[in-house]
């Protein structure tokens, strides 16, 4: 791992602290709000630009892993998230929406880092990354529409506008960039793509700092948010960890593939959900707040889970083979 990967959690936490400190300056509030959306757009543009879409076909090389991941992430997990929200967040509809938006979007970046730490099958996990990104972008609005009747109402036009602005626009610009630089691949592969691969964390941190600067008063007024979300978030990870283990045993996965499956169904994609929430729910800051508090719980939990998985490797040999090649 690079130093940036190792310090990712600390950088995000530092961004929260810096944002809260800046938020105490009244004149900074106006400028903080102006920074949020551009930072998220740049982050999403970089994400789309660095995603290896050509690997999409490789995801179908291992149908068992693909099927298990898809069923758990896009069928089981939405129901689990809704159920946990119904039990613990029914009196907090904005937090319920934020919680659901976080849990129904599988991670497309740092889960590979944790998979590598846990000695999982990184090539296999990476192969389904483009598919996960495409499916969550298509299904997130659907999940919100399906569950909105029980969670609360929201403006459909605002949701459509946010999807077009935060997802379609950067995705289109990323495709346009690739097309324009098709005859100069070195510019893309050695210059632009590596820059955005490293800069995504900084754009995300800038957006988080700006959001906490603009909504710091909301957080201080709702400090109980962390405690309200703690139980459902921890239950989500605990239940899906067990589900991933059961599915792996049922399908006869090796340790490497089992570790990959568990981290694929556990790690969540808060940047994508946050980008939509900021534009779709401008009058509900607690929705976005849930999407920032959630990862602050998630990252330490994922670090703990990788150590739990690694403890099992001391009792079994690691084959190191990729399911894609088998």
């Amino acid at each position: 791992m690079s130093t940036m990967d190792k310090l990712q959690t600390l950088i995000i936490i530092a961004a929260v602290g810096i944002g809260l400190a800046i938020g105490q300056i009244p004149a900074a509030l106006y400028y903080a709000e102006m920074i949020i959306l551009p930072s998220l757009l740049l982050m999403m543009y970089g994400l789309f630009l660095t995603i290896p879409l050509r690997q999409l076909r490789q995801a179908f090389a291992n149908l068992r892993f693909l099927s298990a991941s898809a069923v758990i992430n896009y069928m089981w997990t939405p129901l689990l998230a809704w159920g946990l929200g119904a039990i613990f967040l029914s009196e907090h509809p904005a937090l319920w929406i934020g919680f659901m938006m976080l849990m129904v979007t599988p991670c497309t970046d740092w889960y590979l880092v944790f998979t590598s730490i846990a000695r999982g099958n990184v090539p296999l996990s990476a192969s389904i990354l483009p598919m996960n990104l495409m499916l969550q972008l298509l299904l997130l609005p659907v999940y919100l529409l399906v569950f909105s009747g029980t969670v609360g109402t929201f403006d459909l036009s605002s949701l459509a506008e946010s999807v077009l602005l935060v997802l379609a626009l950067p995705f289109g610009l990323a495709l346009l960039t690739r097309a324009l630089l098709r005859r100069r691949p070195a510019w893309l592969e050695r210059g632009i793509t590596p820059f955005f691969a490293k800069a995504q964390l900084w754009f995300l941190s800038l957006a988080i700092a700006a959001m906490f600067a603009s909504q710091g008063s909301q957080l201080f007024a709702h400090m109980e948010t962390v405690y309200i979300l703690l139980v459902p978030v921890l239950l989500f990870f605990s239940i899906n960890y067990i589900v991933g283990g059961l599915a792996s045993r049922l399908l006869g996965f090796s340790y490497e593939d089992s570790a990959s499956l568990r981290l694929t169904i556990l790690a969540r994609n808060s940047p994508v959900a946050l980008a939509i929430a900021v534009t779709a729910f401008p009058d509900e800051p607690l929705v976005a707040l849930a999407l920032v508090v959630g990862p602050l719980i998630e990252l330490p939990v994922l670090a703990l889970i990788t150590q739990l998985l690694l403890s099992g490797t001391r009792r079994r040999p690691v084959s190191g083979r990729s399911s894609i090649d088998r």
Side-chain angles (χ1 to χ4, degrees):
M1 289 196 303
S2 67
T3 303
M4 289 280 288
D5 293 328
K6 296 176 181 178
L7 298 177
Q8 185 168 197
T9 304
L10 294 177
I11 292 173
I12 292 176
I13 294 174
V16 173
I18 293 172
L20 290 174
I22 295 175
Q24 304 307 307
I25 305 173
L29 299 181
Y30 172 75
Y31 296 102
E33 292 180 354
M34 295 177 60
I35 292 173
I36 297 174
L37 185 57
S39 300
L40 291 172
L41 287 174
L42 286 170
M43 182 201 68
M44 295 301 297
Y45 169 76
L47 175 63
F48 287 128
L49 195 62
T50 55
I51 290 294
L53 296 178
R54 289 175 297 179
Q55 292 183 1
L56 186 59
R57 64 180 180 275
Q58 296 180 9
F60 296 94
N62 189 313
L63 290 178
R64 289 188 305 160
F65 187 89
L66 172 71
S67 301
S69 173
V71 169
I72 295 174
N73 269 328
Y74 301 106
M75 296 179 66
W76 159 252
T77 293
L79 294 175
L80 175 61
W82 180 86
L84 291 174
I87 296 172
F88 296 100
L89 303 173
S90 59
E91 297 181 1
H92 311 277
L95 295 181
W96 190 354
I97 292 176
F99 174 77
M100 286 186 53
M101 291 182 70
L102 176 65
M103 296 311 175
V104 300
T105 50
C107 183
T108 58
D109 40 41
W110 60 45
Y111 80 102
L112 293 176
V113 176
F114 288 107
T115 301
S116 177
I117 296 174
R119 300 179 187 175
N121 191 335
V122 177
L124 182 60
S125 295
S127 72
I128 66 168
L129 189 154
M131 181 199 70
N132 272 344
L133 181 63
M134 294 297 102
L135 284 179
Q136 68 185 252
L137 298 185
L138 293 173
L139 293 177
L140 179 56
V142 176
Y143 293 141
L144 287 175
L145 288 173
V146 170
F147 296 120
S148 64
T150 53
V151 177
T153 59
F154 59 90
D155 189 350
L156 181 60
S157 62
S158 296
L159 176 62
E161 180 182 348
S162 66
V163 170
L164 289 174
L165 177 62
V166 181
L167 301 181
L169 178 60
F171 181 67
L173 290 175
L175 292 180
L176 179 61
T177 302
R178 290 179 181 273
L180 292 175
L181 296 179
R182 186 173 300 165
R183 296 183 180 180
R184 294 182 175 85
W187 289 14
L188 187 66
E189 296 173 3
R190 299 177 188 174
I192 298 177
T193 300
F195 168 78
F196 276 101
K198 296 178 180 178
Q200 285 181 50
L201 175 59
W202 297 113
F203 289 135
L204 174 61
S205 299
L206 181 60
I208 290 175
M211 186 176 64
F212 269 92
S214 64
Q215 302 294 339
S217 59
Q218 289 287 340
L219 176 62
F220 288 123
H222 300 88
M223 287 299 293
E224 72 279 3
T225 298
V226 177
Y227 304 104
I228 293 173
L229 289 171
L230 183 62
V231 172
V233 170
L234 290 179
L235 280 176
F236 171 86
F237 287 118
S238 300
I239 293 172
N240 259 13
Y241 181 84
I242 295 172
V243 169
L246 293 174
S248 296
R249 285 195 290 271
L250 180 65
L251 296 171
F253 285 171
S254 65
Y255 164 78
E256 297 91 338
D257 292 359
S258 175
S260 294
L261 178 65
R262 287 183 174 183
L263 290 167
T264 300
I265 65 175
L266 288 174
R268 301 292 92 186
N269 197 354
S270 55
V272 169
L274 178 62
I276 295 178
V278 169
T279 53
F281 305 100
D283 299 324
E284 290 287 355
L286 289 182
V287 175
L289 186 61
L291 289 164
V292 174
V293 172
L296 295 181
I297 303 172
E298 172 190 0
L299 292 174
V301 170
L302 290 177
L304 178 63
I305 286 174
T306 57
Q307 296 305 311
L308 182 62
L309 290 170
L310 277 175
S311 66
T313 65
R314 302 187 184 98
R315 299 188 297 272
R316 60 173 69 85
V318 179
S319 69
R321 292 185 299 166
S322 167
S323 290
I324 295 177
D325 300 326
R326 284 180 228 163

